Amino acid sequence: MAIKGDSQTVRDMKQDISQTIKDLEHMSDGIRSGMQATGGWDDEKASEFNLAMSKVARMIESPVDSLKAALPKLERLAQLMDEYTSKKFS
């Protein structure tokens, strides 16, 4: 049985996921920074806005832990693929 694909493809996927994590964290930080800019607002609409933006930031952050957990697993898969392809079968 042969493996279709290679370890570099898996490592590229790992790099893409790492960049996605950074992008999600950056977006969430931007939303939270924007919320701080509304600190001078003191009315009901400001509270609604901050609550909505807080929910959006949490939703953006929600996949980050799962994505981070996948990174070492992908690296392990790439290592296993390296080991497999280095074996000589006769």
Side-chain angles (χ1 to χ4, degrees):
M1 174 177 21
I3 294 179
K4 293 187 179 184
D6 63 8
S7 59
Q8 186 57 45
T9 301
V10 174
R11 287 190 175 97
D12 290 345
M13 186 184 328
K14 182 181 162 199
Q15 186 63 32
D16 290 344
I17 290 172
S18 293
Q19 185 60 50
T20 299
I21 291 168
K22 289 177 188 173
D23 291 345
L24 291 172
E25 290 174 335
H26 180 73
M27 284 187 280
S28 177
D29 289 345
I31 290 170
R32 292 185 191 284
S33 293
M35 289 171 53
Q36 291 174 356
T38 64
W41 297 358
D42 191 23
D43 61 6
E44 186 178 321
K45 292 296 179 187
S47 296
E48 288 176 22
F49 173 81
N50 285 330
L51 180 61
M53 290 298 102
S54 181
K55 286 180 181 179
V56 169
R58 283 194 309 271
M59 284 174 37
I60 289 171
E61 293 168 346
S62 64
V64 168
D65 289 337
S66 297
L67 292 171
K68 284 181 178 179
L71 294 177
K73 294 174 185 176
L74 287 170
E75 181 56 36
R76 181 66 183 138
L77 175 61
Q79 291 171 358
L80 290 170
M81 292 174 81
D82 285 338
E83 288 176 29
Y84 179 81
T85 56
S86 70
K87 301 286 184 202
K88 301 291 184 213
F89 295 101
S90 47

